[in-house]
Amino acid sequence: MSSIEEILELEQLEKDIFRGIVADTTMTRTFGGQVAGQALVSAVRTVDDRYRVHSLHGYFLRPGNPTIPTVFLVDRIRDGRSFCTRRVTGVQDGQAIFTMSASFHVGDEGIEHGDRMPPVPDPEDLPDIAQVVGEDIPWEFREWSDWDLRFVPQERIARRPGVPAQQQVWFRYRRTLPEDPVFHICTLAYMSDMTLLGSAQVPHAGTALQQASLDHALWFLRPFRADEWLLYDQSSPSAGFGRALTQGRIFDRSGVLVAAVVQEGLTRLLRD
């Protein structure tokens, strides 16, 4: 499979126009996290270094074709003293498959607080799927073999009252990544689409669904490294009408809240 460095290394075709690679994949549609991560790299390439991305909001408009590259068109919406905004459209065969707004901030002083990480087993106490031998490895772990994903068993999750669907995943990239903090942010944009929609299926185990990401919002709150352990604390507050709302909090190993995610996805019942 393609490395995250290859996936996020875009070719510049023209000012504010970029093209991503055709990544090795077993999926029949382009992975949404790949499109979001590449779109964010495109936006970053048009922004002065003194700004740091703090949020993105994206819509998946059409299924992407994984056998052809995606071209990203960047609109410079605003350049201010403290904030700047970019809009990115991902295009295949002349049609938009993804659109995203990204906001950048120079950083200011202000009030500070953050959620505490919930009690959770250490990642070292959970099995590494890469050590499983044979054909028993789920396709997700073969598709993203460069990622160390360790799911907390449902019986070991500290339940929050009134929350119908919870899921927790420790994750990290298996190899050392570049030092550039922006690279880790774009890597997290890629990864944040991974496993999140699955939290909606926790109370409905065994139900056959057609699933796809519809929209995705991500806030980068504090510095982190994507090649060090991060906890993805996920929940789904609502599902209905063939859609599910999911949300996630991402903590570093020390328990600091570093990012937050909200996503709505398609969860349509598969009929015989």
Side-chain angles (χ1 to χ4, degrees), residues 192-204:
S192 62
D193 187 42
M194 200 186 301
T195 77
L196 181 57
L197 191 54
S199 65
Q201 200 166 2
V202 168
H204 312 281

Side-chain angles (χ1 to χ4, degrees), residues 30-37 39-40 56-64 70 72 86-91 95-102 193 212-219 243 245 262-266:
T30 306
F31 172 50
Q34 174 183 318
V35 179
L40 184 56
L56 64 84
H57 296 70
Y59 284 89
F60 299 95
L61 306 176
R62 293 181 177 87
T70 305
F72 298 91
R86 297 292 184 264
R87 182 180 297 128
V88 185
T89 304
V91 177
Q95 292 187 313
I97 66 168
F98 180 74
T99 183
M100 181 191 78
S101 293
D193 187 42
S213 303
L214 297 176
D215 59 29
H216 195 78
L218 178 56
W219 293 265
R243 303 186 310 275
L245 181 66
V262 175
Q263 181 184 87
E264 188 178 39
L266 179 71

Side-chain angles (χ1 to χ4, degrees), residues 118 151-155 157-169 195-205 209 211 232-240 243-249 261 263 267:
F151 285 79
V152 177
Q154 284 293 309
E155 66 272 13
I157 294 177
R159 297 292 169 185
R160 300 198 298 273
V163 178
Q166 290 180 249
Q167 181 170 268
Q168 293 174 333
V169 187
T195 77
L196 181 57
L197 191 54
S199 65
Q201 200 166 2
V202 168
H204 312 281
L209 297 173
Q211 295 184 309
Y232 207 166
D233 181 50
Q234 305 168 345
S235 62
S236 176
S238 177
R243 303 186 310 275
L245 181 66
T246 57
Q247 55 193 19
R249 301 178 299 169
V261 191
Q263 181 184 87
T267 51

Side-chain angles (χ1 to χ4, degrees), residues 93 104 162 256:
D93 282 336
F104 297 76
V256 174

Side-chain angles (χ1 to χ4, degrees), residues 173-193:
Y173 200 71
R174 291 187 182 275
R175 298 190 299 273
T176 301
L177 294 173
E179 293 297 321
D180 181 9
V182 177
F183 186 89
H184 290 262
I185 287 173
C186 295
T187 298
L188 186 63
Y190 173 94
M191 188 277 154
S192 62
D193 187 42

